[in-house]
Amino acid sequence: MPIGNSNPSESLGSWAWVSFCIICVTVIYLDASRWLNPVKEKYIPIWPPGQNDFNLPYVGAEALVAGINPYTNNDPRYTSPLLGSERVNGREWKQVYPPGHFILYVPFVWLYGDDWQGAARIFFHLSLIAIFIISWFTWRLLQEVLQFPLSPLFALFVAGCLLLNIGAGLGLERGQADNVIALLCWFAVFLFYRGAYGTAAFLTTWGVFIKGYPVLLAVGLIVLAITRGAGKRAVFGAFLATAINTIPVLPYLKDALIGTQFRANLFAATWYNHGFRNTVHTLFPQASEVGRVVLAALALVVTL
């Protein structure tokens, strides 16, 4: 769905270009700041046997398949042998991820049982494929939205850049779901541009229930769909994703909310790419709490 014969400068307003430039400069600086003392996540430390972060939600998915509360239970089989548990409100919490993270891994549990490493190897390759699909979406959006005449080989260039990025690399080595969440978000933006508002809202809301990162994008797309007269479709898409990711854990939903809230407030100064709080902490350590709220509000405004 190209935009006529408009040139790139006419396709986006001046504020969109200013926002784009600010985001690019910020991302580049924060990525480079890992070399600033005190050194942060400068390299990806190898943690044998590999894909270890995958183990935690996978164990939660095993508990869910067995009909056991993945967040709080007394069965040692459903405690991650690599990452253990957290103390939340004085109690042992074996999981602090949103319920959608476990639901995402349920098919792997059906196929691999307690062989989490076998499942992690498959998930690694799926995450790698996700990066290449994201690169294709980037190429298509640049062509269709900004009218840039780019060769399809540009998608391979983007994939190479992403694979060299320490955030994407960490996600692959640790077995994190971030690359899959990013794919859901890029697919949602691509479909939203083409008028598939309900599906776009479904995909972003699904991403929210895996880790929570796309929450501002999900809200922004729904509000934008409402302004375009497609609010019902967007709200239904979000509702459907919410139902799919909450009905299987309804008996444990209260624990899921407590655990997810705990994880949302986890913070370490060495995490340079973990959220708005880390972004502000890199630049102004004393203002990290207030700064994350301000950046969240600005991100929502930009989204809208």
Side-chain angles (χ1 to χ4, degrees):
M1 189 183 297
I3 307 178
N5 296 316
S6 61
N7 60 50
S9 62
E10 294 174 340
S11 299
L12 292 178
S14 57
W15 278 111
W17 279 108
V18 170
S19 301
F20 176 76
C21 292
I22 291 174
I23 291 170
C24 285
V25 171
T26 303
V27 169
I28 292 170
Y29 174 77
L30 293 177
D31 189 55
S33 71
R34 64 181 181 272
W35 288 292
L36 177 70
N37 72 78
V39 173
K40 301 175 185 176
E41 295 173 319
K42 185 174 181 179
Y43 302 109
I44 301 173
I46 302 301
W47 183 13
Q51 284 80 62
N52 291 356
D53 285 356
F54 179 87
N55 175 257
L56 181 61
Y58 188 83
V59 169
E62 286 185 290
L64 192 62
V65 170
I68 294 174
N69 185 343
Y71 294 95
T72 58
N73 61 73
N74 297 318
D75 194 327
R77 293 177 299 171
Y78 304 118
T79 303
S80 171
L82 298 173
L83 296 167
S85 57
E86 300 279 357
R87 299 295 296 181
V88 181
N89 298 332
R91 294 176 57 197
E92 182 185 31
W93 233 257
K94 296 189 175 184
Q95 299 289 338
V96 291
Y97 283 116
H101 210 145
F102 316 136
I103 294 170
L104 177 68
Y105 295 151
V106 163
F108 295 96
V109 173
W110 288 339
L111 292 171
Y112 287 91
D114 59 1
D115 180 16
W116 73 269
Q117 286 181 276
R121 284 190 287 271
I122 296 300
F123 190 75
F124 170 89
H125 289 94
L126 292 176
S127 298
L128 194 60
I129 292 170
I131 288 175
F132 281 94
I133 298 175
I134 289 169
S135 304
W136 183 85
F137 281 136
T138 304
W139 168 65
R140 289 299 299 165
L141 285 168
L142 284 172
Q143 277 200 318
E144 295 190 13
V145 179
L146 300 181
Q147 296 290 286
F148 286 158
L150 295 169
S151 164
L153 293 176
F154 180 78
L156 292 178
F157 170 75
V158 174
C161 292
L162 290 174
L163 290 170
L164 289 173
N165 177 271
I166 194 166
L170 184 68
L172 290 170
E173 195 280 334
R174 290 288 189 267
Q176 297 173 354
D178 297 38
N179 293 315
V180 173
I181 297 171
L183 174 59
L184 293 176
C185 292
W186 278 98
F187 193 16
V189 171
F190 183 77
L191 292 176
F192 189 92
Y193 174 71
R194 288 170 168 253
Y197 304 115
T199 307
F202 173 85
L203 293 173
T204 49
T205 305
W206 183 11
V208 170
F209 276 95
I210 296 173
K211 269 196 173 180
Y213 295 147
V215 62
L216 293 175
L217 177 62
V219 172
L221 290 184
I222 292 171
V223 173
L224 191 56
I226 292 173
T227 64
R228 296 184 177 189
K232 290 183 179 179
R233 280 187 284 163
V235 170
F236 177 77
F239 172 80
L240 184 60
T242 300
I244 291 173
N245 286 282
T246 55
I247 291 175
V249 295
L250 276 180
Y252 329 121
L253 196 55
K254 181 179 178 181
D255 290 341
L257 293 172
I258 294 172
T260 301
Q261 182 181 15
F262 174 83
R263 189 186 183 282
N265 291 311
L266 284 178
F267 174 77
T270 55
W271 295 341
Y272 74 93
N273 64 344
H274 198 68
F276 288 140
R277 186 176 177 185
N278 285 106
T279 300
V280 179
H281 186 273
T282 300
L283 303 171
F284 311 104
Q286 304 302 320
S288 59
E289 276 292 340
V290 175
R292 72 170 178 171
V293 176
V294 173
L295 276 184
L298 287 175
L300 184 58
V301 170
V302 170
T303 303
L304 299 177

mmCIF file of all heavy atoms in Angstrom, residues 209-232:
data_model
loop_
_atom_site.group_PDB
_atom_site.id
_atom_site.type_symbol
_atom_site.label_atom_id
_atom_site.label_comp_id
_atom_site.label_asym_id
_atom_site.label_seq_id
_atom_site.Cartn_x
_atom_site.Cartn_y
_atom_site.Cartn_z
ATOM 1 N N PHE A 209 1.734 -9.897 27.279
ATOM 2 C CA PHE A 209 1.544 -11.008 28.202
ATOM 3 C C PHE A 209 2.746 -11.958 28.250
ATOM 4 O O PHE A 209 2.782 -12.852 29.099
ATOM 5 C CB PHE A 209 0.271 -11.786 27.858
ATOM 6 C CG PHE A 209 -0.965 -11.178 28.442
ATOM 7 C CD1 PHE A 209 -1.739 -10.302 27.697
ATOM 8 C CD2 PHE A 209 -1.335 -11.456 29.745
ATOM 9 C CE1 PHE A 209 -2.871 -9.722 28.240
ATOM 10 C CE2 PHE A 209 -2.467 -10.885 30.304
ATOM 11 C CZ PHE A 209 -3.239 -10.016 29.552
ATOM 12 N N ILE A 210 3.715 -11.754 27.366
ATOM 13 C CA ILE A 210 4.938 -12.550 27.451
ATOM 14 C C ILE A 210 5.933 -11.898 28.402
ATOM 15 O O ILE A 210 6.489 -12.542 29.285
ATOM 16 C CB ILE A 210 5.566 -12.738 26.061
ATOM 17 C CG1 ILE A 210 4.615 -13.535 25.160
ATOM 18 C CG2 ILE A 210 6.916 -13.470 26.163
ATOM 19 C CD1 ILE A 210 5.084 -13.634 23.713
ATOM 20 N N LYS A 211 6.151 -10.580 28.222
ATOM 21 C CA LYS A 211 7.084 -9.889 29.112
ATOM 22 C C LYS A 211 6.629 -8.497 29.541
ATOM 23 O O LYS A 211 7.170 -7.940 30.484
ATOM 24 C CB LYS A 211 8.471 -9.799 28.475
ATOM 25 C CG LYS A 211 9.383 -10.952 28.826
ATOM 26 C CD LYS A 211 10.835 -10.633 28.496
ATOM 27 C CE LYS A 211 11.756 -11.723 29.000
ATOM 28 N NZ LYS A 211 13.167 -11.448 28.691
ATOM 29 N N GLY A 212 5.735 -7.907 28.829
ATOM 30 C CA GLY A 212 5.249 -6.594 29.248
ATOM 31 C C GLY A 212 5.872 -5.422 28.516
ATOM 32 O O GLY A 212 5.353 -4.297 28.575
ATOM 33 N N TYR A 213 6.970 -5.641 27.818
ATOM 34 C CA TYR A 213 7.671 -4.538 27.165
ATOM 35 C C TYR A 213 6.814 -3.744 26.172
ATOM 36 O O TYR A 213 6.933 -2.526 26.096
ATOM 37 C CB TYR A 213 8.918 -5.058 26.438
ATOM 38 C CG TYR A 213 9.980 -5.638 27.345
ATOM 39 C CD1 TYR A 213 10.783 -6.696 26.926
ATOM 40 C CD2 TYR A 213 10.194 -5.131 28.627
ATOM 41 C CE1 TYR A 213 11.763 -7.226 27.753
ATOM 42 C CE2 TYR A 213 11.165 -5.662 29.460
ATOM 43 C CZ TYR A 213 11.950 -6.705 29.020
ATOM 44 O OH TYR A 213 12.919 -7.231 29.828
ATOM 45 N N PRO A 214 5.937 -4.379 25.370
ATOM 46 C CA PRO A 214 5.217 -3.605 24.340
ATOM 47 C C PRO A 214 3.961 -2.909 24.841
ATOM 48 O O PRO A 214 3.129 -2.511 24.023
ATOM 49 C CB PRO A 214 4.841 -4.675 23.299
ATOM 50 C CG PRO A 214 5.447 -5.959 23.755
ATOM 51 C CD PRO A 214 5.710 -5.821 25.208
ATOM 52 N N VAL A 215 3.805 -2.732 26.152
ATOM 53 C CA VAL A 215 2.535 -2.225 26.667
ATOM 54 C C VAL A 215 2.191 -0.851 26.094
ATOM 55 O O VAL A 215 1.031 -0.588 25.737
ATOM 56 C CB VAL A 215 2.531 -2.204 28.215
ATOM 57 C CG1 VAL A 215 3.603 -1.283 28.774
ATOM 58 C CG2 VAL A 215 1.154 -1.826 28.743
ATOM 59 N N LEU A 216 3.180 0.049 25.978
ATOM 60 C CA LEU A 216 2.893 1.378 25.442
ATOM 61 C C LEU A 216 2.536 1.318 23.961
ATOM 62 O O LEU A 216 1.658 2.043 23.488
ATOM 63 C CB LEU A 216 4.085 2.303 25.665
ATOM 64 C CG LEU A 216 4.389 2.655 27.122
ATOM 65 C CD1 LEU A 216 5.669 3.473 27.219
ATOM 66 C CD2 LEU A 216 3.225 3.404 27.756
ATOM 67 N N LEU A 217 3.218 0.454 23.218
ATOM 68 C CA LEU A 217 2.889 0.277 21.799
ATOM 69 C C LEU A 217 1.470 -0.263 21.652
ATOM 70 O O LEU A 217 0.703 0.201 20.796
ATOM 71 C CB LEU A 217 3.886 -0.671 21.141
ATOM 72 C CG LEU A 217 3.617 -1.007 19.669
ATOM 73 C CD1 LEU A 217 3.676 0.239 18.798
ATOM 74 C CD2 LEU A 217 4.611 -2.053 19.166
ATOM 75 N N ALA A 218 1.101 -1.227 22.488
ATOM 76 C CA ALA A 218 -0.245 -1.813 22.411
ATOM 77 C C ALA A 218 -1.310 -0.754 22.675
ATOM 78 O O ALA A 218 -2.290 -0.632 21.924
ATOM 79 C CB ALA A 218 -0.372 -2.963 23.410
ATOM 80 N N VAL A 219 -1.111 0.030 23.733
ATOM 81 C CA VAL A 219 -2.081 1.083 24.060
ATOM 82 C C VAL A 219 -2.139 2.114 22.934
ATOM 83 O O VAL A 219 -3.223 2.546 22.510
ATOM 84 C CB VAL A 219 -1.704 1.762 25.394
ATOM 85 C CG1 VAL A 219 -2.586 2.979 25.650
ATOM 86 C CG2 VAL A 219 -1.827 0.773 26.546
ATOM 87 N N GLY A 220 -0.967 2.494 22.445
ATOM 88 C CA GLY A 220 -0.928 3.498 21.382
ATOM 89 C C GLY A 220 -1.642 3.055 20.123
ATOM 90 O O GLY A 220 -2.399 3.828 19.516
ATOM 91 N N LEU A 221 -1.429 1.803 19.712
ATOM 92 C CA LEU A 221 -2.082 1.313 18.496
ATOM 93 C C LEU A 221 -3.600 1.228 18.674
ATOM 94 O O LEU A 221 -4.360 1.518 17.737
ATOM 95 C CB LEU A 221 -1.519 -0.056 18.113
ATOM 96 C CG LEU A 221 -0.069 -0.081 17.607
ATOM 97 C CD1 LEU A 221 0.312 -1.492 17.164
ATOM 98 C CD2 LEU A 221 0.142 0.897 16.462
ATOM 99 N N ILE A 222 -4.039 0.824 19.856
ATOM 100 C CA ILE A 222 -5.484 0.739 20.102
ATOM 101 C C ILE A 222 -6.118 2.120 20.046
ATOM 102 O O ILE A 222 -7.169 2.329 19.404
ATOM 103 C CB ILE A 222 -5.763 0.059 21.450
ATOM 104 C CG1 ILE A 222 -5.356 -1.418 21.392
ATOM 105 C CG2 ILE A 222 -7.240 0.189 21.830
ATOM 106 C CD1 ILE A 222 -5.389 -2.125 22.735
ATOM 107 N N VAL A 223 -5.488 3.099 20.704
ATOM 108 C CA VAL A 223 -6.029 4.466 20.688
ATOM 109 C C VAL A 223 -6.019 5.023 19.270
ATOM 110 O O VAL A 223 -6.983 5.666 18.826
ATOM 111 C CB VAL A 223 -5.214 5.373 21.637
ATOM 112 C CG1 VAL A 223 -5.664 6.824 21.493
ATOM 113 C CG2 VAL A 223 -5.372 4.910 23.080
ATOM 114 N N LEU A 224 -4.937 4.760 18.537
ATOM 115 C CA LEU A 224 -4.853 5.242 17.160
ATOM 116 C C LEU A 224 -5.919 4.581 16.288
ATOM 117 O O LEU A 224 -6.511 5.225 15.411
ATOM 118 C CB LEU A 224 -3.460 4.952 16.601
ATOM 119 C CG LEU A 224 -3.091 5.621 15.267
ATOM 120 C CD1 LEU A 224 -3.244 7.139 15.367
ATOM 121 C CD2 LEU A 224 -1.656 5.267 14.890
ATOM 122 N N ALA A 225 -6.199 3.291 16.546
ATOM 123 C CA ALA A 225 -7.258 2.610 15.800
ATOM 124 C C ALA A 225 -8.616 3.228 16.100
ATOM 125 O O ALA A 225 -9.465 3.364 15.200
ATOM 126 C CB ALA A 225 -7.262 1.124 16.145
ATOM 127 N N ILE A 226 -8.828 3.622 17.342
ATOM 128 C CA ILE A 226 -10.099 4.270 17.725
ATOM 129 C C ILE A 226 -10.271 5.573 16.952
ATOM 130 O O ILE A 226 -11.366 5.884 16.456
ATOM 131 C CB ILE A 226 -10.132 4.521 19.244
ATOM 132 C CG1 ILE A 226 -10.215 3.184 19.988
ATOM 133 C CG2 ILE A 226 -11.311 5.418 19.625
ATOM 134 C CD1 ILE A 226 -10.083 3.310 21.503
ATOM 135 N N THR A 227 -9.180 6.355 16.831
ATOM 136 C CA THR A 227 -9.273 7.621 16.101
ATOM 137 C C THR A 227 -9.537 7.400 14.618
ATOM 138 O O THR A 227 -9.982 8.319 13.917
ATOM 139 C CB THR A 227 -7.973 8.439 16.257
ATOM 140 O OG1 THR A 227 -6.879 7.734 15.653
ATOM 141 C CG2 THR A 227 -7.670 8.692 17.721
ATOM 142 N N ARG A 228 -9.280 6.186 14.121
ATOM 143 C CA ARG A 228 -9.519 5.877 12.709
ATOM 144 C C ARG A 228 -10.836 5.129 12.502
ATOM 145 O O ARG A 228 -11.076 4.587 11.432
ATOM 146 C CB ARG A 228 -8.351 5.056 12.154
ATOM 147 C CG ARG A 228 -7.034 5.809 12.152
ATOM 148 C CD ARG A 228 -5.927 5.007 11.502
ATOM 149 N NE ARG A 228 -4.686 5.764 11.429
ATOM 150 C CZ ARG A 228 -3.600 5.380 10.765
ATOM 151 N NH1 ARG A 228 -3.610 4.236 10.083
ATOM 152 N NH2 ARG A 228 -2.510 6.114 10.754
ATOM 153 N N GLY A 229 -11.637 5.079 13.554
ATOM 154 C CA GLY A 229 -12.934 4.426 13.433
ATOM 155 C C GLY A 229 -12.880 2.919 13.479
ATOM 156 O O GLY A 229 -13.840 2.243 13.078
ATOM 157 N N ALA A 230 -11.766 2.359 13.934
ATOM 158 C CA ALA A 230 -11.621 0.902 13.995
ATOM 159 C C ALA A 230 -11.424 0.430 15.431
ATOM 160 O O ALA A 230 -10.786 -0.595 15.670
ATOM 161 C CB ALA A 230 -10.446 0.463 13.120
ATOM 162 N N GLY A 231 -11.966 1.180 16.371
ATOM 163 C CA GLY A 231 -11.776 0.864 17.776
ATOM 164 C C GLY A 231 -12.308 -0.502 18.178
ATOM 165 O O GLY A 231 -11.675 -1.227 18.954
ATOM 166 N N LYS A 232 -13.470 -0.876 17.645
ATOM 167 C CA LYS A 232 -14.073 -2.153 18.023
ATOM 168 C C LYS A 232 -13.174 -3.324 17.615
ATOM 169 O O LYS A 232 -12.993 -4.282 18.369
ATOM 170 C CB LYS A 232 -15.462 -2.297 17.395
ATOM 171 C CG LYS A 232 -16.501 -1.368 17.996
ATOM 172 C CD LYS A 232 -17.872 -1.602 17.378
ATOM 173 C CE LYS A 232 -18.915 -0.697 18.004
ATOM 174 N NZ LYS A 232 -20.263 -0.891 17.400
#
